C-alpha cells in the first residue's frame, strides 16, 4: 500500500492550531482576523468554493465579510470596492474569487489588491518575492498547501526531479517557483508539450494540475515516485483528479487522494495567509503562532 498523503487530516490539525491561536489573541483584547471575500456573478462552482472558504474561516474564528456582486458589475465598480477594502484597517485579507466574468479585466483587479492584503498571493509584488526568495510575501494557496503537505510527510524536494504538469497562473507556475526555492530540479509541462510522458516517467515528485481527468496513467509514473494530484474534475458524475489513482497507487511511494488531498490544504493555506496578513496588519510579530 502506498503512503496516502492525507490533506484532510493535516488540515484539521493545522486548523485546530489556528483556532487556538485566534482564541488566545482575542482573549488578550485584540479583534479577530478578517477576510473579505468577493464573488462576482453566479458561477455554481465558484459559489461552492466561496462557501467552503467562508465556512473554514468561521470555524477557526476568522471573520469573513462576503461581497456578492451581480454578473453585470463593471471593472470600475469592482475597483471601487477593492479600494475601500484596501483602506479599511479592520480588513486583513482580500480574496477575489476567480475566474471573473470575461468583461472584467482580471489583470487590473489583481493589480488593485493591496499586496499587504493579497492572501491569494497573485499580486506581482508577491509573485516577485517568490521569484527572488524573499520571505514574508504571500505564497499562492495551492502551492503553499502542497509545500506544507510534503513537509509534514518528510518529503524534501531538495535535489529531487520535480515534474509539474500544468502551467496555470494559480497552481503550476507559482508551484514551479516554490519548488525551485526548495532546491528541486523543476520541469514544467503543459498543453503544448510534445509528449509529457517523457518527463513524467523521470519524476521523483510528480505534480499534476491540469483538470484533465485521468491524464496520468500507470505507465507514465516512475516506480516509487511521490504523486500529487491537484486536478478536480468530474468523471462519470464522480469528483476525480488528474491521476488514475486506482492504477497508479500500487506503483508509487506516496500519493494524494482526490478528494481529501490538495483541496483541503489549499483552504488551510488561505487561513494561514489570512493570519499572516492579520499579524502584519496588527503588528503582532512577537505573538508566536
Ligand atoms: P489552468 O487552466 O490555469 O491551467 C491548466 C494547465 O494545464 C495549463 O497550463 C494547460 O496547458 C495544462 N494542460 C491542459 N491540458 C493538458 C494536457 N492534456 N497535457 C498537459 N497539460 C495540459 O487551470 P488551474 O487553475 O491551474 O487548475 C488546474 C486544475 O487544478 C483544475 O482541475 C482545477 O480545478 C484544479 N485546482 C485544484 C485546486 C485544489 O485546491 N485542489 C486549486 C486550484 C485548482
Amino acid at each position: 500500500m502506498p503512503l496516502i498523503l492525507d490533506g484532510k487530516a493535516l488540515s484539521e490539525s493545522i486548523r485546530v492550531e489556528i483556532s487556538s491561536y485566534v482564541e488566545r489573541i482575542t482573549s488578550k483584547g485584540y479583534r479577530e482576523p478578517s477576510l473579505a471575500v468577493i464573488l462576482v456573478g453566479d458561477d455554481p462552482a465558484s459559489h461552492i468554493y466561496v462557501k467552503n472558504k467562508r465556512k473554514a474561516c468561521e470555524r477557526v474564528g476568522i471573520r469573513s465579510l462576503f461581497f456578492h456582486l451581480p454578473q453585470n458589475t463593471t471593472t470600475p465598480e469592482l475597483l471601487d470596492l477593492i479600494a475601500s477594502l484596501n483602506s479599511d484597517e479592520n480588513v486583513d485579507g482580500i480574496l477575489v474569487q476567480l475566474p471573473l466574468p470575461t468583461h472584467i479585466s482580471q489583470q487590473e483587479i489583481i493589480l488593485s489588491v493591496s499586496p499587504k492584503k493579497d492572501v491569494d498571493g497573485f499580486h506581482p509584488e508577491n509573485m516577485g518575492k517568490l521569484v527572488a526568495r524573499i520571505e514574508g510575501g504571500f505564497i499562492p494557496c495551492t502551492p503553499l498547501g502542497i509545500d506544507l503537505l510534503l513537509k509534514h510527510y518528510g518529503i524534501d524536494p531538495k535535489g529531487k526531479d520535480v515534474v509539474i504538469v500544468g502551467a496555470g497562473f494559480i497552481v503550476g507556475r507559482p508551484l514551479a517557483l516554490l519548488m525551485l526555492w526548495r532546491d528541486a530540479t523543476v520541469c514544467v509541462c503543459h498543453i503544448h508539450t510534445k509528449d509529457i510522458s517523457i518527463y513524467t516517467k523521470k519524476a521523483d515528485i510528480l505534480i499534476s494540475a491540469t483538470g484533465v481527468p485521468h491524464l496520468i496513467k500507470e505507465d507514465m509514473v516512475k516506480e516509487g515516485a511521490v504523486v500529487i494530484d491537484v486536478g478536480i474534475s468530474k468523471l462519470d458524475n464522480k469528483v476525480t483528479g488528474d491521476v488514475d489513482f486506482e492504477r497508479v497507487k500500487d506503483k508509487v511511494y506516496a500519493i494524494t487522494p482526490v478528494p481529501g488531498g490538495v483541496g483541503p490544504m489549499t483552504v488551510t493555506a488561505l487561513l494561514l495567509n489570512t493570519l499572516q496578513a492579520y499579524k502584519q496588519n496588527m503588528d503582532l510579530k512577537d505573538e508566536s503562532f
Side-chain angles (χ1 to χ4, degrees):
M1 271 303 281
L3 173 65
I4 301 294
L5 306 175
D6 189 343
K8 193 163 175 246
L10 177 58
S11 277
E12 270 160 25
S13 71
I14 297 174
R15 290 181 201 189
V16 168
E17 281 181 52
I18 296 175
S19 179
S20 65
Y21 172 82
V22 173
E23 241 178 75
R24 205 164 65 239
I25 205 89
T26 50
S27 72
K28 289 184 183 173
Y30 291 100
R31 67 163 173 80
E32 67 264 81
S34 70
L35 173 69
V37 179
I38 303 172
L39 173 64
V40 185
D42 285 307
D43 175 56
S46 292
H47 260 283
I48 295 170
Y49 292 140
V50 162
K51 197 173 119 205
N52 289 342
K53 290 172 187 173
R54 296 190 61 218
K55 208 161 90 190
C57 282
E58 277 146 27
R59 281 185 47 205
V60 299
I62 293 175
R63 193 162 67 102
S64 82
L65 310 159
F66 185 38
F67 299 88
H68 186 192
L69 308 182
Q71 176 75 18
N72 61 1
T73 301
T74 62
T75 302
E77 283 167 341
L78 187 51
L79 289 172
D80 277 351
L81 171 61
I82 293 169
S84 76
L85 295 170
N86 279 340
S87 58
D88 185 340
E89 62 182 29
N90 289 317
V91 171
D92 302 303
I94 301 171
L95 180 153
V96 184
Q97 184 64 38
L98 301 180
L100 288 164
T102 48
H103 67 275
I104 295 179
S105 158
Q106 184 164 303
Q107 203 172 48
E108 235 182 299
I109 299 306
I110 286 171
L111 283 167
S112 74
V113 174
S114 161
K116 292 187 170 62
K117 300 192 178 193
D118 172 37
V119 287
D120 259 335
F122 296 156
H123 191 284
E125 184 174 316
N126 286 311
M127 287 283 187
K129 285 183 173 168
L130 194 52
V131 177
R133 297 183 170 200
I134 296 172
E135 299 279 355
F138 293 105
I139 296 172
C141 298
T142 304
L144 178 58
I146 293 169
D147 190 47
L148 293 169
L149 193 61
L150 291 174
K151 207 171 281 170
H152 175 76
Y153 283 98
I155 299 164
D156 185 357
K158 187 173 184 167
K160 305 263 167 50
D161 290 331
V162 173
V163 176
I164 300 169
V165 185
F169 172 71
I170 292 174
V171 187
R173 271 180 273 166
L175 182 60
L177 294 169
L178 187 58
M179 289 297 106
L180 268 178
W181 194 341
R182 301 295 179 242
D183 296 322
T185 302
V186 181
C187 164
V188 185
C189 304
H190 46 76
I191 191 75
H192 301 294
T193 303
K194 277 181 266 173
D195 178 0
I196 64 169
S197 73
I198 293 173
Y199 307 95
T200 59
K201 277 180 196 162
K202 291 185 180 159
D204 300 314
I205 302 176
L206 173 61
I207 309 174
S208 188
T210 67
V212 180
H214 293 189
L215 174 70
I216 307 296
K217 310 273 188 222
E218 184 191 358
D219 60 353
M220 297 165 72
V221 177
K222 186 168 91 172
E223 193 99 26
V226 171
V227 176
I228 307 286
D229 191 350
V230 183
I232 301 174
S233 45
K234 278 217 167 152
L235 193 65
D236 303 330
N237 234 8
K238 251 181 73 186
V239 174
T240 188
D242 287 2
V243 178
D244 189 349
F245 183 91
E246 282 309 318
R247 298 216 164 85
V248 168
K249 73 177 189 333
D250 294 324
K251 199 175 174 184
V252 298
Y253 164 66
I255 187 165
T256 57
V258 176
V262 176
M265 289 307 297
T266 296
V267 178
T268 297
L270 171 69
L271 302 177
L272 289 169
N273 277 350
T274 304
L275 218 57
Q276 181 185 328
Y278 169 73
K279 286 176 75 176
Q280 285 164 359
N281 189 19
M282 304 285 283
D283 207 13
L284 289 170
K285 290 191 273 306
D286 301 332
E287 293 287 345
S288 64
F289 162 59

